Amino acid sequence: MTTDVTTPASATLGEIHQQPRAWRDLAVLLDQAREPLDAFLGRALEDPRTRVVLTGAGTSAFVGRIVAESLRGRLHRRFDAVSSTDLVAAPRTVLAEGVPVLLVSFARSGNSPESIAATELVDALAPTAHHLVVTCDPTGALAVGHGDREDSFVLTMPPQTNDTGFAMTSSFSSMLLAALLAFVPTDAAALDRIVASGERALAAEDGLDRILDRAPRRMVFLGGGALAGLAEECALKTLELTAGTVAAFHDTPLGFRHGPKAVLDDETVVVVLRSADPRVRRYDDDIVREIRSDRPDQVVVVGADADQQGAGGLDLVIPEAEGLDDGLRAVGLVAVAQLLALHASVRLGCTPDNPFPDGSVNRVVRGVTIHPLDATDAGAGRA
């Protein structure tokens, strides 16, 4: 059965399918911004002690987790992913070291209270601070607040990526690609493969829909290395678009055995995101074999290599992603989870463009009180 998602999810469906085109538009914008961006990063990273902190809330935080894992090993520099919700709640713990900070803030709108508060806390507590703002809305509070600052650089995504649907889709993948290319400009040479991998994932929509014929009430997403952050995003998309009706979980292939595997039952589908890293991939294949020994029809492997062990009929091989590191691979692979979540939502009778019509969960978080720093907090990093 193929689910018709056109009417109940017109905005979300379009925003998922526009991603390859948006990535090409992003590449043009990055080319235009390359010289001032490189100059800014050169100043921000001049001190070798500088800690690069990648922050955001929810989906935006997962962008940072993928980027940090991808760039730390490639650039041999410290990259830490810290959600803005953690930074705002416990700033003295997060910023305890008293070292210079380059804060990379990811935000679709830039209007979430934590987005603005995180930058203010880094200004107050770090001895020196620079800000790279990666956002989809040039009129958002975060972009406007940092637009004229000498210690900040605002990198705005293509206009169409400021998603109007409830869930972040093209905003997620575009901010992810933007951050990776900002720090490693040579990765732009891989753009054609990134775009082709996304197109392949999108073309598999009917096959992905068939995964849902099992009517799973639980979905588990497993990924190691940089793909651990992608697994988090995949689980969140499922929860958001199905309004929590499908319980979604995430873990690493090794971590899943240590208790979380208890979630498996006859109504669970497990999606394993197969890594580009040969060592990580061995553990991916181990957990696939283990689960398939008991539940052969409940595991779906998403990867780039034709040698996937014990490939099942619903596995998805995306050869265009071969040769991409896991950070770049995640840009295209996220479409798999986006489409799964979208189709599951429609099958359940939800409205993916607005899964919470009662307003209990909102597109931009509401009701957050930002508590001010006290006298002990203020100036702790700049004393």
Side-chain angles (χ1 to χ4, degrees), residues 115-378:
S115 296
I116 301 159
T119 65
E120 293 172 345
L121 287 164
V122 169
D123 283 338
L125 296 175
T128 59
H130 288 82
H131 299 272
L132 174 60
V133 174
V134 183
T135 182
C136 303
D137 188 354
T139 68
L142 196 60
V144 171
H146 286 264
D148 295 325
R149 288 179 48 165
E150 291 187 2
D151 59 359
S152 300
F153 191 97
V154 178
L155 187 57
T156 306
M157 302 298 97
Q160 69 268 34
T161 68
N162 189 14
D163 299 320
T164 60
F166 176 87
M168 292 175 62
T169 53
S170 66
S171 52
F172 169 85
S173 63
S174 297
M175 290 194 293
L176 171 58
L177 180 58
L180 293 168
L181 297 186
F183 285 96
V184 188
T186 55
D187 278 346
L191 182 64
D192 286 344
R193 277 184 292 157
I194 296 167
V195 169
S197 69
E199 290 172 341
R200 171 82 67 167
L202 292 168
E205 186 166 4
D206 288 348
L208 293 171
D209 188 42
R210 288 197 296 275
I211 294 169
L212 301 172
D213 287 346
R214 296 187 60 88
R217 65 187 184 94
R218 298 176 179 176
M219 295 195 72
V220 177
F221 296 89
L222 302 179
L227 296 182
L230 181 60
E232 290 185 89
E233 169 60 9
C234 294
L236 179 60
K237 280 291 130 330
T238 304
L239 284 172
E240 287 180 327
L241 292 182
T242 67
T245 303
V246 176
F249 305 82
H250 65 87
D251 212 320
T252 63
L254 278 174
F256 188 59
R257 292 187 181 90
H258 292 263
K261 191 181 173 186
V263 75
L264 293 181
D265 65 10
D266 291 341
E267 296 177 277
T268 303
V269 167
V270 180
V271 178
V272 177
L273 305 166
R274 198 165 186 253
S275 176
D277 184 312
R279 180 175 179 83
V280 177
R281 193 163 61 234
R282 293 188 190 104
Y283 295 106
D284 299 337
D285 293 343
D286 287 348
I287 197 67
V288 170
R289 281 191 292 268
E290 181 175 319
I291 299 174
R292 277 189 171 154
S293 66
D294 297 323
R295 304 178 183 279
D297 300 323
Q298 292 178 234
V299 183
V300 178
V301 181
V302 180
D305 311 291
D307 67 340
Q308 290 178 188
Q309 297 295 318
L314 294 177
D315 285 359
L316 179 59
V317 179
I318 302 178
E320 293 84 355
E322 190 171 4
L324 298 175
D325 91 298
D326 281 339
L328 294 172
R329 188 173 286 200
V331 175
L333 293 190
V334 71
V336 172
Q338 293 168 348
L339 290 170
L340 279 172
L342 179 69
H343 282 256
S345 177
V346 173
R347 283 182 180 230
L348 290 165
C350 300
T351 51
D353 288 349
N354 182 21
F356 299 92
D358 63 355
S360 58
V361 183
N362 300 288
R363 180 177 178 274
V364 178
V365 171
R366 302 173 187 171
V368 177
T369 298
I370 301 297
H371 300 284
L373 289 167
D374 60 31
T376 302
D377 292 320

